[in-house]
């Protein structure tokens, strides 16, 4: 655990303990208490910001296992996520505390919905980056004989315009959205490669190393349909674990 991580965790514990004491450890009361209390609103803003900072650091690390974590910090983190995070976020993002509304029985875990939304944006932007590269190549091949850069650029713009328009935010233009989405696609690849250790060459090599599996008829006939499906699924998952660089997981499933 780095010194920076330790300082962040100590600060998180301190802020969270302070917030719990101010609302008597009753998160369902937090929003109403914060309406006329700027100190609690500021405390929620600091706590949410620190939570986001730590969570972002943890998810950007190539190692998702955290060793020797302070037990009190671990307990505070879980308690915050399970009971306080929705209320703190509601307070932090409310433009006017008089209009804050919080349904404490709302059970959808917004954190996981947000993660899914973020992942979709990153995935789609990476796919569109590849699509634009294909379009660029096709335009270059189409006008290869003419060698006219203007024609290449003109057709490229016309073909990527509908794609970019789908990303345009309210009040923006597709010309503004296009470089943002392309950069997001590049950042997604860099994150996979540098932060998460994704090895494309290794994946392609290991895929070629997997031999075809020939199941003898007499073996297949001895097993029922459910058993055969289970065996095939286990084999498929073991192969995928090997392909993506998790040999120990492949052995466990084998």
């Amino acid at each position: 655990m780095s010194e920076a991580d330790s300082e962040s965790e100590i600060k998180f514990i301190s802020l969270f303990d302070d917030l719990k004491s101010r609302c008597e450890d009753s998160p369902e009361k937090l929003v109403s208490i914060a309406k006329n209390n700027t100190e609690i609103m500021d405390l929620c803003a600091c706590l949410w910001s620190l939570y986001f900072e730590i969570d972002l650091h943890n998810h950007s690390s190539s190692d998702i296992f955290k060793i020797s974590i302070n037990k009190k910090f671990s307990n505070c983190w879980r308690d915050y996520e399970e009971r306080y995070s929705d209320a703190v976020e509601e307070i932090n993002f409310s433009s006017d505390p008089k209009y804050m509304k919080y349904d404490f029985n709302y059970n959808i875990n917004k954190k996981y919905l947000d993660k899914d939304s973020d992942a979709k944006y990153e995935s789609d932007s990476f796919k569109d980056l590849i699509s634009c590269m294909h379009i660029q190549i096709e335009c270059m091949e189409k006008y290869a004989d003419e060698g006219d850069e203007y024609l290449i650029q003109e057709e490229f713009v016309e073909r990527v315009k509908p794609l970019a328009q789908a990303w345009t935010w309210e009040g923006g233009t597709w010309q503004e959205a296009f470089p943002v989405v392309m950069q997001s696609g590049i950042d997604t690849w860099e994150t996979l490669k540098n932060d998460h250790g994704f090895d494309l060459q290794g994946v392609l090599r290991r895929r070629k190393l997997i031999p075809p599996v020939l199941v003898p008829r007499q073996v297949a006939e001895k097993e029922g349909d459910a058993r055969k499906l289970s065996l095939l699924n286990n084999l498929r998952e073991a192969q995928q674990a090997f392909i993506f660089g998790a040999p120990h997981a492949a052995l466990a499933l084998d």
Side-chain angles (χ1 to χ4, degrees):
M1 187 190 311
S2 70
E3 185 177 347
D5 287 337
S6 179
E7 290 176 359
S8 297
E9 291 164 6
I10 292 171
K11 186 176 180 181
F12 183 87
I13 293 170
S14 175
L15 290 174
F16 188 50
D17 282 346
D18 188 11
L19 182 66
K20 289 173 71 175
S21 67
R22 287 173 182 264
C23 70
E24 300 178 340
D25 198 18
S26 300
E28 66 274 8
K29 299 178 181 178
L30 191 56
V31 172
S32 60
I33 295 173
K35 285 182 180 180
N36 301 307
N37 192 318
T38 56
E39 288 187 1
I40 290 184
M41 293 186 70
D42 290 342
L43 178 58
C44 287
C46 291
L47 185 61
W48 183 88
S49 178
L50 184 59
Y51 169 82
F52 182 79
E53 177 186 320
I54 296 173
D55 190 53
L56 184 64
H57 172 77
N58 289 341
H59 280 86
S60 64
S61 172
S62 59
D63 188 359
I64 61 173
F65 294 100
K66 304 301 174 186
I67 308 298
S68 301
I69 290 293
N70 183 304
K71 185 176 181 180
K72 181 171 176 58
F73 169 76
S74 179
N75 291 337
C76 286
W77 187 266
R78 292 194 183 97
D79 192 22
Y80 173 84
E81 289 191 325
E82 291 173 4
R83 300 197 299 138
Y84 279 84
S85 60
D86 285 346
V88 170
E89 185 171 313
E90 182 74 17
I91 293 167
N92 192 45
F93 284 96
S94 177
S95 58
D96 187 337
K98 291 185 297 184
Y99 298 106
M100 285 188 292
K101 295 180 181 179
Y102 180 66
D103 180 3
F104 203 71
N105 295 317
Y106 185 65
N107 292 321
I108 296 179
N109 193 324
K110 191 174 184 298
K111 174 184 176 182
Y112 293 104
L113 293 178
D114 287 345
K115 298 297 184 188
D116 187 60
S117 177
D118 291 345
K120 186 178 188 311
Y121 174 79
E122 293 165 357
S123 173
D124 288 349
S125 64
F126 182 69
K127 291 176 184 176
D128 284 348
L129 173 66
I130 300 299
S131 297
C132 287
M133 293 172 66
H134 281 300
I135 292 172
Q136 180 72 17
I137 292 171
E138 290 170 1
C139 292
M140 293 173 68
E141 290 177 343
K142 181 176 180 179
Y143 297 103
D145 294 338
E146 291 89 339
D148 192 327
E149 292 291 334
Y150 176 77
L151 289 176
I152 295 173
Q153 187 65 19
E154 185 178 44
E155 178 157 338
F156 175 76
V157 169
E158 285 302 312
R159 292 180 61 181
V160 302
K161 184 177 178 180
L163 181 150
Q165 285 176 329
W167 291 93
T168 305
W169 51 85
E170 185 176 353
T173 65
W174 72 267
Q175 292 94 332
E176 293 172 324
F178 181 72
V180 173
V181 175
M182 294 300 98
Q183 186 60 53
S184 174
I186 295 171
D187 292 344
T188 297
W189 169 249
E190 292 296 327
T191 298
L192 284 172
K193 184 178 64 172
N194 298 328
D195 294 343
H196 304 309
F198 180 71
D199 176 15
L200 180 59
Q201 180 181 343
V203 168
L204 297 174
R205 179 181 63 83
R206 287 187 291 271
R207 177 62 184 86
K208 296 178 185 298
L209 287 174
I210 291 182
V213 178
L214 307 177
V215 181
R217 182 181 300 168
Q218 60 270 29
V219 174
E221 288 177 349
K222 290 180 181 179
E223 305 291 349
D225 289 340
R227 175 66 174 165
K228 281 189 287 188
L229 182 61
S230 176
L231 289 171
L232 290 175
N233 284 338
N234 285 344
L235 176 61
R236 187 178 297 108
E237 290 188 13
Q239 289 175 334
Q240 289 175 343
F242 172 75
I243 290 170
F244 288 101
H248 291 169
L251 290 173
L253 283 165
D254 195 5

